[in-house]
Amino acid sequence: MKRFLILFLLPFFCVAVYAQQYTLNSPDKKLVVEIENNQQGISVKMTKGTDQVLSLSDLGMITGQTKAESLKVKKTKRNTVNEEITPVVREKSKTYRNEYNELILTFKSDLSLTFRLFNEGMAYRFSTAAKDSLTITRETLNIQLHESDSIRFQSEKSFNSAYEQPYEFKKLGDLNPDRLCNLPLLVEKQNGKFVMITESDLYNYPGLWVKGTGVSQISATNPRYPKTLITTKNRYASGQVGETCDYIARVAGTRNYPWRIFAVADQEDGLINNNMVYLLASPTELKDVSWIRPGVVMFDWWGKNNIYGVNFKAGVNTETAKYFIDFCAEKGFRYFLFDDGWSPKDDLLHPVAGLNMEEVTAYAKSKGIDVMVWVIWNTLRDQWQEAFDQFERWGIKGIKTDFMNRDDQLMVEFYEALAAKAAEKKMIVNFHGAYKPCGLSRKYPNVLTREALIEFEQSGVSNNDNPEHHNLLPYIRMFTGAMDYIPATMRNGNKNNFRHFWDYPMGWGTRAHAMALFVILNSPMTMLPGSPSDYYREKECTDFLAKIPVEWDETKLLMGRISKYTVLARRSGDEWHIGAITNDDRRTLELSTGFLKPGKYQVEIIEDGINAGTAATDYKLSRRELNAGETLKLTLAAGGGWLARITPQNK
C-alpha cells in the first residue's frame, strides 16, 4: 500500500520555502476566494465586498509522509460553467441553475484540489490519482470565523447518533470542545449574513463533523473506521461501533473525495434558494427512472392503534391494511407503509400472524396503491438477497430503513448499496435513523426522503418538536435535502395544553400550523401521521391536503426570520400553495401577492380560528377571489399557521 502525506503536516525543517497564490471570483463578482499554498499549508480566505466571510487553514488529508517538493502546485486549470440542471424529482424546482467558476490545482504528488465558487458560496474537494489503495489517517481543516459570530448546530457525545438532537444556539467561543457537532451547521455572522457548512457527494468515505476549540475557530473531524461492531439481542441497537481503527477510511487510490461546502446568504431566502448540495452531487447513472413516483404516504405505526368506527379488530393485520389502502385510493395518496411490527425484528421473510402480505399487495395493486415496508438496517443486511427477492415477489415498491445511527465509511457504503439494490428492484427508499442528505438522491433519485431531524414522532415523548423548531428546519436541515417530518396531524395542542401521548400523539401548534408544514417542509414522499379515521373525521382539512402536490416547479420564501416565522410559496404548474407558520408568538403579517402573474385568481385559505389560541384545533376555511398584487393579512395565533391554494380564475 502506498503511503504518503497528502497535505500538509510536515516538520518545518523539511519544507522548502515557497508561496503560491491564486484568486477565484464568483460569476457575479461579489464573492472572492484567495488561496495560498506555502510552508504552513493551504489556506483560503473568502470575502464578500469588504467583509471577510471566513478563512480556512490546514486543508489536508493525512496518509503518511512524502517529500516537500511534491506538495508544490505543478499545474492549474480554470473552468467556467453556466447551465441548467433538470432534476428527476422536482423536490424544489423544475430546473436548477448550475453556475460557477472553477480552479483545479494539481500538485507534484498524486493529488489535486478543486475549488468551485458559485454566487451562493464556495466548495472544495480533494482528488487522488495513486496506483495503489490509500489509508486515510485523518482529514484536516480549520475554519476561522469572527469571535462575535454565533452558530446553530446539533451536538453529540459520540459519533453514534440518530441525528435528532435539538438545535443549540451559541456564540462560537462557547462551543464545548468535548462535544461533537454534526452537519449542517449554520453560522450567523455579526453583520447579519449566514454561512452554511455541510458536504456533498459523500461516497465510500466517512461523514464530516466539527468540534469547537474554545476560541473563534472550529476544526473538522471524522468518525474512525470500525474495527468491531456490537452484536446484541436488541436489533434496534445491534450493529453500532465497538472498537475503531486508527484511520478514518481505506479507499481506492484514484478517486474524488466529498465536497466541503461553505454557502453564503445575505438573508434567509438565500438559504432556501441554495441548491449547492444537489448541484455538487454525482448525476444519476440510472437509465430508466420512469418508475420513480413521488407521493403521499399513509403508515400504520400510530394509526393502526387509533382506528374507530369499523367492524374489525385494528392492528397489524390484513383488514387494517386494506382500510388504509381504501383511504389512500379515495384521497389520491400513493403509498401505504407497513412500519415497525409487520414482521419479527430479526426476520423480514415472514409477516406476523394475521397479515397476508400477498393478499394485501394484490389488493393494493387493484386500487392503484403501492406498498412499502419498514426494516431495521442490520436485519436487511443479514438477509440481503433473500429479503429483496421476497419483497419483489410480494410486489413491494419501497423500503423505509431505520436505526443506522452512524456515518462512518462502512455505513456510508451501506447507504449507497441499499439505494443501488433498491433501484435494481425498482423500489423507492426512505432513510430513518440517518445522517443528513449529501446528494445521494441525485445519484439515486429513488431515494425520496430521509429523517436526520427532530420530527413529529418526538411529539410523543418530548417538547422538542415545537413551533420554534419548525421555524429552524427550513433554514438549516432543509438546506441539505428532503425531510421526512410527517406533517399535518389532526390532533393539535398549544403551549399551554400540549401533552405527550406516545400511542396517540398530538402536535404542538394549531391545526393551520400543522397543515402549513405540509407545504413548508419539502419532501417528495410526505407521510401523514394519523389514522384514516382521524382524517375521515376531519374531511374538510383532509380534502384540502389531498390537493397539495409533493413535487414543485418553483419555491420562494416570501417572508421569514429564522426561529420566528416563515411564509413560503411553492408553485406546481399554474397553481401556488403558500404555507405560513409562527413560533409561540402571535403575529400579524402583511403578505403581498406581487409574485403572481397579472390576473384574477381563486384562493382557498385555511387559517387559525378565532379561538385557536386556546383550542388549537380551531380553524377557518374560506374562499375568495384575488387580484394579483393584492396584500393579504395573515393573523397567526401563538404557534399558529395559515395556508392557501391559489388557482387562476379561468382554470
Side-chain angles (χ1 to χ4, degrees), residues 43 245 525 602:
S43 61
C245 300
M525 191 172 73
Q602 293 289 334

Side-chain angles (χ1 to χ4, degrees), residues 363-644:
Y363 185 77
K365 184 176 181 180
S366 73
K367 297 280 187 173
I369 304 302
D370 291 336
V371 177
M372 301 174 59
V373 292
W374 173 95
V375 302
I376 297 177
W377 80 273
N378 53 69
T379 303
L380 180 62
R381 174 201 60 188
D382 294 347
Q383 295 184 313
W384 186 261
Q385 192 60 49
E386 301 96 323
F388 272 107
D389 289 346
Q390 180 70 292
F391 296 164
E392 188 174 38
R393 285 191 294 271
W394 283 336
I396 299 301
K397 300 299 183 183
I399 295 172
K400 174 183 174 181
T401 185
D402 209 346
F403 290 99
M404 291 78 71
N405 294 2
R406 300 161 30 203
D407 66 349
D408 52 72
Q409 183 183 6
L410 283 180
M411 184 54 75
V412 171
E413 290 172 350
F414 173 82
Y415 276 56
E416 184 174 11
L418 174 54
K421 188 66 173 180
E424 175 191 323
K425 298 290 187 179
K426 291 185 168 53
M427 298 175 188
I428 53 92
V429 179
N430 176 352
F431 287 106
H432 267 234
Y435 59 82
K436 81 281 180 190
C438 300
L440 185 66
S441 61
R442 183 177 183 190
K443 188 173 183 179
Y444 299 95
N446 57 314
V447 177
L448 290 181
T449 195
R450 71 170 72 187
E451 194 177 30
L453 74 154
I454 290 174
E455 40 98 336
F456 178 70
E457 172 183 283
Q458 288 207 17
S459 294
V461 294
S462 78
N463 291 342
N464 292 334
D465 181 36
N466 55 60
E468 180 178 342
H469 174 70
H470 301 158
N471 282 286
L472 294 173
L473 290 175
Y475 311 103
I476 307 177
R477 169 60 181 80
M478 199 165 79
F479 182 97
T480 63
M483 303 182 292
D484 190 16
Y485 172 80
I486 317 178
T489 178
M490 296 291 104
R491 286 173 47 82
N492 316 104
N494 57 39
K495 186 175 183 178
N496 295 323
N497 58 31
F498 173 78
R499 299 291 184 272
H500 311 146
F501 298 103
W502 177 244
D503 290 333
Y504 200 8
M506 66 167 60
W508 185 338
T510 67
R511 171 68 56 79
H513 181 109
M515 293 178 65
L517 294 176
F518 194 112
V519 175
I520 292 171
L521 306 180
N522 65 280
S523 176
M525 191 172 73
T526 300
M527 289 197 189
L528 296 178
S531 151
S533 301
D534 288 337
Y535 292 106
Y536 277 130
R537 182 193 70 228
E538 302 290 347
K539 183 179 185 303
E540 199 169 57
C541 292
T542 303
D543 289 347
F544 195 105
L545 291 171
K547 298 173 185 176
I548 303 176
V550 295
E551 286 191 280
W552 305 100
D553 296 322
E554 189 176 356
T555 296
K556 287 179 177 288
L557 182 69
L558 302 180
M559 307 171 70
R561 291 288 306 279
I562 188 168
S563 83
K564 300 182 184 303
Y565 63 91
T566 303
V567 185
L568 191 141
R570 299 186 188 270
R571 180 178 61 82
S572 176
D574 56 5
E575 290 186 357
W576 283 92
H577 295 258
I578 305 174
I581 56 172
T582 182
N583 58 12
D584 281 312
D585 295 331
R586 292 178 292 176
R587 201 175 301 276
T588 300
L589 300 171
E590 301 286 333
L591 176 63
S592 169
T593 60
F595 62 92
L596 297 173
K597 291 181 179 179
K600 292 184 177 296
Y601 294 81
Q602 293 289 334
V603 57
E604 187 176 16
I605 297 170
I606 282 187
E607 58 191 318
D608 292 327
I610 193 170
N611 294 306
T614 51
T617 54
D618 188 29
Y619 73 91
K620 176 185 176 183
L621 172 66
S622 62
R623 297 176 179 87
R624 53 164 289 191
E625 291 186 355
L626 174 74
N627 290 312
E630 276 190 50
T631 296
L632 297 172
K633 184 177 181 180
L634 281 55
T635 303
L636 308 179
W642 185 97
L643 69 161

Side-chain angles (χ1 to χ4, degrees), residues 107-396:
F107 298 87
K108 291 187 176 181
S109 59
D110 299 320
L111 173 74
S112 61
L113 178 56
T114 301
F115 292 89
R116 287 184 184 174
L117 190 55
F118 300 76
N119 294 335
E120 300 82 14
M122 178 192 72
Y124 76 83
R125 79 180 323 168
F126 288 104
S127 302
T128 52
K131 293 180 180 179
D132 301 322
S133 61
L134 298 173
T135 298
I136 310 298
T137 303
R138 64 189 178 96
E139 183 173 345
T140 60
L141 167 65
N142 295 320
I143 305 165
Q144 183 72 39
L145 296 154
H146 194 276
E147 60 185 8
S148 63
D149 293 343
S150 300
I151 63 171
R152 296 187 188 268
F153 63 99
Q154 295 174 308
S155 71
E156 294 282 2
K157 294 179 180 178
S158 75
F159 290 112
N160 178 20
S161 172
Y163 311 91
E164 296 178 24
Q165 292 297 323
Y167 289 109
E168 301 177 44
F169 186 44
K170 290 185 177 181
K171 290 290 185 184
L172 195 62
D174 293 337
L175 274 181
N176 183 348
D178 295 327
R179 300 280 289 190
L180 297 162
C181 304
N182 57 43
L183 303 182
L185 178 148
L186 181 63
V187 180
E188 296 189 24
K189 303 286 293 177
Q190 77 278 6
N191 60 7
K193 289 182 171 61
F194 297 98
V195 178
M196 180 68 77
I197 302 173
T198 191
E199 61 182 331
S200 184
D201 220 35
L202 175 65
Y203 299 107
N204 307 109
Y205 196 79
L208 183 67
W209 296 56
V210 298
K211 295 182 68 173
T213 61
V215 292
S216 57
Q217 177 177 288
I218 53 179
S219 298
T221 186
N222 303 86
R224 293 185 178 274
Y225 193 91
K227 179 183 290 186
T228 62
L229 298 179
I230 299 169
T231 300
T232 72
K233 292 182 179 179
N234 179 358
R235 275 281 169 175
Y236 298 112
S238 193
Q240 295 307 303
V241 177
E243 296 179 285
T244 61
C245 300
D246 60 356
Y247 54 86
I248 65 171
R250 301 185 70 175
V251 300
T254 299
R255 63 161 292 173
N256 295 321
Y257 296 85
W259 288 102
R260 280 59 183 99
I261 296 174
F262 305 88
V264 182
D266 290 337
Q267 51 196 16
E268 282 84 350
D269 62 345
L271 299 171
I272 300 295
N273 298 333
N274 192 300
N275 299 308
M276 289 176 66
V277 172
Y278 186 90
L279 294 172
L280 290 163
S282 297
T284 185
E285 297 175 359
L286 301 183
K287 303 302 181 185
D288 176 20
V289 295
S290 60
W291 54 272
I292 299 172
R293 305 199 304 170
V296 175
V297 185
M298 293 295 296
F299 75 127
D300 67 345
W301 189 35
W302 289 304
K304 65 181 179 293
N305 298 316
N306 302 311
I307 290 172
Y308 48 86
V310 298
N311 60 1
F312 59 85
K313 179 65 175 176
V316 183
N317 55 47
T318 300
E319 292 81 4
T320 300
K322 288 183 176 181
Y323 179 70
F324 273 86
I325 289 165
D326 286 341
F327 175 77
C328 290
E330 179 181 333
K331 299 301 179 183
F333 299 149
R334 189 175 300 284
Y335 293 99
F336 166 63
L337 166 69
F338 283 108
D339 211 276
D340 191 356
W342 71 270
S343 75
K345 300 293 183 289
D346 60 351
D347 182 12
L348 299 172
L349 308 180
H350 302 94
V352 296
L355 174 58
N356 186 321
M357 190 64 80
E358 291 90 344
E359 183 178 343
V360 168
T361 54
Y363 185 77
K365 184 176 181 180
S366 73
K367 297 280 187 173
I369 304 302
D370 291 336
V371 177
M372 301 174 59
V373 292
W374 173 95
V375 302
I376 297 177
W377 80 273
N378 53 69
T379 303
L380 180 62
R381 174 201 60 188
D382 294 347
Q383 295 184 313
W384 186 261
Q385 192 60 49
E386 301 96 323
F388 272 107
D389 289 346
Q390 180 70 292
F391 296 164
E392 188 174 38
R393 285 191 294 271
W394 283 336
I396 299 301

